[in-house]
Amino acid sequence: VGHQFSKKISFFSELELENAKVEGGEPGGEISMEQAFLKFNLTSNQYIVAGLFVPRIGILNENHLPVNFNGVERPIVEQIVIPATWRELGIGFYGSSNRLPLNYSIAILNGLDGGHFVHGSGIREGKAEGSNASANNLAITASVQYSISDFKFQLAGYMGGTVATNKYKADSLGLNSGAFGTPLYLGEANMQYSKNGFSSKLLGASIIYPEANKVNAAYANNVAKTMYGAYAEIGYDWLYPKKKKAQFITFARCEILDLNSNIPTNAIYDGTLKQTHIITGFSYLPVANVVIKADQRLLHTGPQNPALIINPAPNALAYRQSNQFLNFGIGYSF
């Protein structure tokens, strides 16, 4: 739902119903605002957004609809390491250059909550997403995009505090509070290329969490000091340029990630979080906003750490480091 108040001021929003069904007090579904912000046009190529919005980090965070990526699932690196879809309350400035094919952004956002970080899902569960955001900490994010010929390059970064409690509680937990207390740093770079039906993508992202040991001591959530992920993808549209409206894209993607590449002394290493994914498949778009997809995923992980297995079932099967998955899906947007 949107509204244009004037030529300078507009409102944009997006409401989500997830998992098809929501019942009061029952787990498994949610109704949430994904975006709800005001946009103030300053000039023809500069504007400010304020409210709940999606910052420019990675390839998919701003372009996460199913018709915009290959594979039934989004790249795992952009689900966990970045993680998309990432929205927060804040204010941002966006612009583009008059003389160069250059776009840029900078935003101040609500920070993360390190107490909600969950082992195995990176920083994903620490997002406030506009719900009960405390504003006890802040974050800054910025990006630069540059296009040349058929290439598009982007650099983006994030720095923010991870203590969402007040100073008195933070002191009792041995955590550094304040706007950027117990900071977390995230950086990503990506490249996209597209010409004559051929496309390719490269993306790398890294997280540095210097005081993860303090968070582990306070919350016992087994958080790593560094995490990283990267992927490379190639694709080809076999209907180019035979049919301008329809597309049939075959693709292959390789992803590597490690959510505990460096752990503090009070953490336990989990080899299953060091993963390699190889995905091949197709996307058929009969029209621009409808897609039929299928892919095969080969997953290989490091070994399971017995120290992380609590009360194992006596009939539990041995952990398999290599697995295969076959996925089918449809997607649409309008």
Side-chain angles (χ1 to χ4, degrees):
V1 176
H3 181 71
Q4 186 174 21
F5 296 98
S6 68
K7 292 182 178 179
K8 295 285 188 179
I9 304 175
S10 302
F11 172 73
F12 297 85
S13 71
E14 182 179 352
L15 182 69
E16 285 191 338
L17 169 63
E18 295 195 352
N19 297 328
K21 182 179 179 181
V22 177
E23 292 187 27
E26 295 293 327
E30 66 177 22
I31 297 175
S32 62
M33 295 299 299
E34 184 163 289
Q35 300 185 78
F37 63 87
L38 287 170
K39 179 184 178 185
F40 301 87
N41 294 323
L42 303 178
T43 66
S44 60
N45 58 355
Q46 292 180 329
Y47 60 90
I48 290 174
V49 299
L52 182 67
F53 63 95
V54 176
R56 186 172 290 163
I57 303 176
I59 296 175
L60 285 182
N61 206 41
E62 287 187 310
N63 303 290
H64 52 268
L65 297 176
V67 295
N68 294 334
F69 60 88
N70 290 317
V72 176
E73 298 182 0
R74 300 168 184 166
I76 192 71
V77 171
E78 296 204 70
Q79 289 187 50
I80 298 179
V81 180
I82 288 185
T85 305
W86 188 359
R87 70 267 195 183
E88 296 287 2
L89 290 170
I91 182 169
F93 174 75
Y94 291 75
S96 58
S97 172
N98 289 323
R99 299 182 178 181
L100 297 172
L102 180 71
N103 298 321
Y104 49 86
S105 71
I106 184 168
I108 298 176
L109 308 168
N110 190 81
L112 297 166
D113 186 350
H116 288 163
F117 291 166
V118 176
H119 175 75
S121 64
I123 64 174
R124 186 171 189 85
E125 301 304 321
K127 301 180 295 182
E129 298 184 325
S131 176
N132 297 320
S134 68
N136 283 319
N137 56 2
L138 295 174
I140 296 176
T141 181
S143 70
V144 177
Q145 292 179 342
Y146 187 79
S147 300
I148 180 171
S149 185
D150 301 304
F151 291 87
K152 182 179 181 181
F153 301 90
Q154 176 176 294
L155 290 173
Y158 172 95
M159 179 190 74
T162 61
V163 176
T165 63
N166 59 54
K167 176 176 173 54
Y168 301 105
K169 185 175 180 180
D171 288 346
S172 69
L173 293 172
L175 299 172
N176 297 319
S177 60
F180 299 99
T182 314
L184 181 139
Y185 307 92
L186 186 154
E188 74 87 15
N190 68 73
M191 182 276 292
Q192 300 179 70
Y193 172 80
S194 180
K195 185 176 182 180
N196 297 335
F198 178 79
S199 63
S200 64
K201 298 177 182 178
L202 291 171
L203 180 142
S206 177
I207 293 174
I208 301 175
Y209 198 18
E211 299 180 38
N213 60 322
K214 294 182 179 180
V215 176
N216 287 336
Y219 299 109
N221 47 5
N222 200 17
V223 177
K225 289 181 68 174
T226 61
M227 308 171 226
Y228 71 82
Y231 70 83
E233 177 184 299
I234 57 173
Y236 185 73
D237 179 7
W238 295 90
L239 298 182
Y240 179 91
K242 297 178 181 178
K243 289 186 177 181
K244 293 184 179 180
K245 293 184 178 180
Q247 301 176 69
F248 185 81
I249 302 168
T250 54
F251 76 97
R253 183 170 68 242
C254 178
E255 302 191 55
I256 58 172
L257 67 150
D258 190 347
L259 297 184
N260 47 198
S261 63
N262 184 9
I263 61 173
T265 55
N266 58 359
I268 303 174
Y269 181 78
D270 185 353
T272 66
L273 300 183
K274 186 175 184 180
Q275 303 178 358
T276 300
H277 300 249
I278 298 176
I279 306 100
T280 58
F282 72 85
S283 299
Y284 173 60
L285 290 86
V287 293
N289 290 329
V290 174
V291 64
I292 301 166
K293 302 181 175 188
D295 65 59
Q296 182 179 32
R297 178 188 298 267
L298 306 178
L299 167 63
H300 180 77
T301 76
Q304 192 177 56
N305 187 344
L308 290 169
I309 309 302
I310 301 173
N311 296 326
N315 59 346
L317 299 175
Y319 179 77
R320 294 177 57 184
Q321 291 183 237
S322 297
N323 290 277
Q324 299 183 35
F325 305 89
L326 187 62
N327 302 305
F328 299 91
I330 58 171
Y332 50 86
S333 66
F334 56 87

